[in-house]
């Protein structure tokens, strides 16, 4: 049986180097310098510590996101992360697969209850002692990996952090490990049909015979310090469907999950499917995501009022209504993003959100009302240029745009925390 080598050595740390490391530091092409960084990493594992001054803190969407500045720190963290993922067989659930699967399940015309749950302050609430205790008890994890985890948590605590630092891949892996027992417990229940969890967003589908203390029971199985958010809790009960005789009589339910709005309808009794017992489920962009996109439009125009830089405004609207690639630094690969790739499960023909976004963009370009839009003075030629852009068209045609990393960063700067 093949055993994964958890050793921290020159070879294993060299394999943790990413393409972005060479882009950020051309000195790495020099073998002597590269080995010097590897040796620093080895010294850190055996004798050193992570210094809190080397932790960089940024705010994204009003939450602090952390990163270690030094390359040798990151090499050690990457290797520890690989070791833990291998030992625990950690694989984060795929958002798109969950969305696709949930739509199919919601369409089934059987009795069930659906619970939508969210863990309050997930990363920030995870107990250091519980993380360390769980890792320490695992004999499959070597001493160096355990030490690296403890050093990271200690440095994070020293700089005032609580729980696990967002933005670091090792934190994501540790959070998944912490939730494994909870996942297994929920899945073990006979009355649970389906269970989905994407980080801290949970959907549980049960039959109608789940016990009255179901939620309190599973809440007690959460790791120490973790609690379900009362504000974001939602329960749906869907009973066996009797097809509606008229379209206007169709009963409907609504659910927002992972950036999508699910509209769930009783089937319409028509000539083609007179006895259908399947619900009709349509996906659209969730209202909170529509609001965020509108906020980005407003901030784009607000920035233009201050700078007068129409080319920058044009590029911002172009990027918002299109698709582009971004670098996933944790995996060193490019991934697709944008109006289509972020919401590709949206039912295009029935989408209300795409029309709403196009109307809002047109209003922003042409209106003279509102605190921001009333102060905009666009030339007729510039208005015609901006009116060419459309969220619906960018979605349907998968319109792709490409900017240099520097330009893309400049474009997105106005949207920070939007």
């Amino acid at each position: 049986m093949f055993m994964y080598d958890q050793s921290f050595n020159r070879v294993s740390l060299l394999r943790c180097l990413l393409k972005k490391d060479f882009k950020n530091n051309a000195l790495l092409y020099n073998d002597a310098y590269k080995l010097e960084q590897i040796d620093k990493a080895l010294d850190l594992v055996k004798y050193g510590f992570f210094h809190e001054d080397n932790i960089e803190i940024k705010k994204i969407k009003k939450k602090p996101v952390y990163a270690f500045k030094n390359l040798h720190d990151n090499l050690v963290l990457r290797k520890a992360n690989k070791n833990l993922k291998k030992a625990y067989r950690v694989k984060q659930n795929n958002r798109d697969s969950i969305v696709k699967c949930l739509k199919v399940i919601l369409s089934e015309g059987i009795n069930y209850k659906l619970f939508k749950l969210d863990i309050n302050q997930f990363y920030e609430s995870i107990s250091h002692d519980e993380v360390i205790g769980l890792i320490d008890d695992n004999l499959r994890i070597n001493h160096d990996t355990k030490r690296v985890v403890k050093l990271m948590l200690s440095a994070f605590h020293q700089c005032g952090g609580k729980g696990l630092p967002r933005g670091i891949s090792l934190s994501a892996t540790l959070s998944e490990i912490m939730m494994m027992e909870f996942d297994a417990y929920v899945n073990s229940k006979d009355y649970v049909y389906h269970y989905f969890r994407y980080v801290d967003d949970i959907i549980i589908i049960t039959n109608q015979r789940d016990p009255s203390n179901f939620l309190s029971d599973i809440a007690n199985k959460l790791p120490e310090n973790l609690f379900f958010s009362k504000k974001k809790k939602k329960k749906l009960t869907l009973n066996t469907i009797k097809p509606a005789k008229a379209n206007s009589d169709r009963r409907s339910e609504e659910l927002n999950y992972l950036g999508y709005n699910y509209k769930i309808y009783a089937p319409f009794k028509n000539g083609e499917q007179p006895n259908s017992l399947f619900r009709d489920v349509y996906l659209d962009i969730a209202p909170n995501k529509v609001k965020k996109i509108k906020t980005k439009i407003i901030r784009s125009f607000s920035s233009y009022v201050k700078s007068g830089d129409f080319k920058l405004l044009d590029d911002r609207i172009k990027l918002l209504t299109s698709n582009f690639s971004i670098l996933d630094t944790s995996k060193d690969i490019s991934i697709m993003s944008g109006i289509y790739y972020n919401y590709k499960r949206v039912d295009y023909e029935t989408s209300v959100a795409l029309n709403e976004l196009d109307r809002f963009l047109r209003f922003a370009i042409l209106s003279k009302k509102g605190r921001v839009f009333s102060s905009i003075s666009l030339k007729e030629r510039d208005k015609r240029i901006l009116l060419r852009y459309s969220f619906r068209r960018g979605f349907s045609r998968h319109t792709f745009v490409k900017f240099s990393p520097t330009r893309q960063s400049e474009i997105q700067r106005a949207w920070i925390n939007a």
Side-chain angles (χ1 to χ4, degrees):
M1 181 179 178
F2 172 75
M3 296 295 290
Y4 173 74
D5 183 11
Q6 295 188 27
S7 304
F8 286 77
N9 53 50
R10 277 187 170 184
V11 173
S12 66
L13 290 171
L14 280 168
R15 288 174 178 164
C16 292
L17 284 166
L18 304 177
K19 291 179 183 177
K20 67 165 187 174
D21 298 325
F22 291 87
K23 289 180 181 178
N24 293 336
N25 189 353
L27 290 173
L28 284 172
Y29 289 103
N30 181 291
D31 287 342
Y33 177 83
K34 182 165 57 181
L35 289 177
E36 179 186 338
Q37 296 302 306
I38 298 298
D39 288 339
K40 282 184 178 181
L42 290 172
D43 287 342
L44 188 155
V45 173
K46 296 298 181 184
Y47 318 109
F49 58 93
F50 295 111
H51 200 285
E52 61 268 22
D53 291 345
N54 291 330
I55 299 177
E56 185 179 36
I57 307 173
K58 294 180 180 178
K59 280 216 169 184
I60 298 178
K61 297 179 181 178
K62 299 180 181 179
K63 291 185 177 179
V65 175
Y66 300 84
F68 283 80
K69 301 174 186 177
N70 294 335
L71 176 61
H72 53 272
D73 288 350
N74 283 296
L75 291 176
V76 169
L77 291 170
R78 289 173 198 167
K79 175 57 180 170
N81 189 45
K82 284 184 177 182
N83 290 349
L84 290 176
K85 290 181 80 171
K86 288 284 185 179
Y88 284 94
R89 298 181 181 176
V90 172
K91 187 177 181 182
Q92 190 181 57
N93 292 319
N94 180 274
R95 172 179 175 265
D96 185 60
S97 296
I98 292 175
V99 170
K100 181 181 177 181
C101 187
L102 182 58
K103 181 180 180 180
V104 173
I105 292 166
L106 291 176
S107 70
E108 295 177 359
I110 58 175
N111 294 342
Y112 60 75
K113 294 179 186 176
L114 182 148
F115 299 90
K116 178 180 178 292
L117 306 167
D118 179 272
I119 300 174
N120 192 49
Q121 294 291 310
F122 181 52
Y123 273 80
E124 292 79 6
S125 300
I126 291 177
S127 164
H128 286 191
D129 289 340
E130 193 165 356
V131 171
I132 292 170
L134 189 62
I135 300 299
D136 269 345
D137 289 343
N138 192 330
L139 299 178
R140 293 174 297 171
I141 308 299
N142 70 5
H143 171 77
D144 288 340
T145 301
K146 293 175 181 179
R147 184 172 188 272
V148 169
V149 171
K150 294 172 186 176
L151 289 174
M152 182 197 76
L153 293 177
S154 176
F156 182 53
H157 178 72
Q158 290 298 320
C159 70
K162 294 182 179 180
L164 298 176
R166 291 178 181 271
I168 296 173
S169 296
L170 180 56
S171 293
T173 299
L174 289 170
S175 70
E176 289 297 308
I177 293 170
M178 294 299 297
M179 291 297 293
M180 282 181 171
E181 186 177 335
F182 175 84
D183 295 342
Y185 182 79
V186 176
N187 274 316
S188 71
K189 299 301 178 183
D190 293 337
Y191 47 80
V192 172
Y193 285 156
H194 298 279
Y195 169 68
F196 302 101
R197 182 178 62 81
Y198 187 78
V199 191
D200 56 351
D201 290 316
I202 296 171
I203 291 282
I204 304 173
I205 298 175
T206 72
N207 60 31
Q208 301 282 27
R209 299 184 300 279
D210 62 81
S212 58
N213 66 338
F214 169 63
L215 287 181
S216 60
D217 176 46
I218 64 170
N220 289 331
K221 293 297 179 180
L222 285 169
E224 183 183 344
N225 293 344
L226 296 189
F227 304 94
F228 293 130
S229 170
K230 292 181 180 179
K231 292 182 180 179
K232 297 183 180 180
K233 189 183 298 182
K234 184 177 179 69
K235 176 183 174 182
L236 295 178
T237 301
L238 289 100
N239 298 313
T240 302
I241 291 173
K242 293 180 180 179
K245 293 182 180 180
N247 198 41
S248 58
D249 295 334
R250 302 174 90 190
R251 301 188 313 278
S252 66
E253 295 284 358
E254 200 164 322
L255 173 72
N256 294 312
Y257 187 59
L258 299 186
Y260 287 90
N261 173 256
Y262 292 76
K263 287 188 173 66
I264 311 159
Y265 291 92
F268 175 50
K269 190 173 184 177
N270 57 41
E272 296 177 4
Q273 294 180 311
N275 298 310
S276 174
L277 293 179
F278 287 93
R279 299 179 178 91
D280 290 328
V281 182
Y282 300 102
L283 266 63
D284 208 341
I285 304 173
N288 67 320
K289 299 299 181 182
V290 171
K291 184 179 178 180
K292 286 183 179 181
I293 295 172
K294 288 181 178 180
T295 299
K296 290 180 179 181
I297 293 173
I298 292 171
R299 291 190 177 184
S300 298
F301 279 91
S302 179
S303 177
Y304 169 73
V305 170
K306 295 175 182 177
S307 69
D309 189 339
F310 177 76
K311 178 57 179 163
L312 187 54
L313 172 63
D314 180 44
D315 284 348
R316 282 176 173 149
I317 303 304
K318 183 187 296 182
L319 190 68
L320 275 176
T321 56
S322 304
N323 302 279
F324 52 94
S325 65
I326 57 176
L327 180 65
D328 183 339
T329 55
S330 64
K331 298 177 183 176
D332 215 20
I333 58 173
S334 292
I335 57 174
M336 299 300 291
S337 186
I339 192 62
Y340 171 75
Y341 289 99
N342 288 352
Y343 308 104
K344 63 183 178 181
R345 297 295 168 187
V346 162
D347 291 291
Y348 174 75
E349 296 297 333
T350 59
S351 174
V352 174
L354 290 172
N355 291 338
E356 183 181 343
L357 287 170
D358 276 346
R359 284 196 300 271
F360 188 82
L361 177 59
R362 187 176 179 84
F363 175 84
I365 297 167
L366 299 177
S367 177
K368 286 294 183 183
K369 298 179 181 179
R371 182 170 58 85
V372 174
F373 303 143
S374 62
S375 57
I376 297 172
S377 179
L378 286 170
K379 298 176 182 177
E380 290 302 316
R381 176 182 61 84
D382 294 342
K383 290 180 182 179
R384 288 195 297 269
I385 290 173
L386 294 178
L387 287 170
R388 294 181 305 180
Y389 300 120
S390 161
F391 288 95
R392 179 168 280 276
R393 189 163 55 248
F395 181 94
S396 63
R397 296 181 182 178
H398 306 179
T399 307
F400 184 85
V401 294
K402 188 174 183 179
F403 295 100
S404 70
T406 302
R407 183 60 171 177
Q408 188 154 319
S409 177
E410 185 179 12
I411 290 169
Q412 295 175 313
R413 192 174 298 137
W415 305 336
I416 294 174
N417 296 325

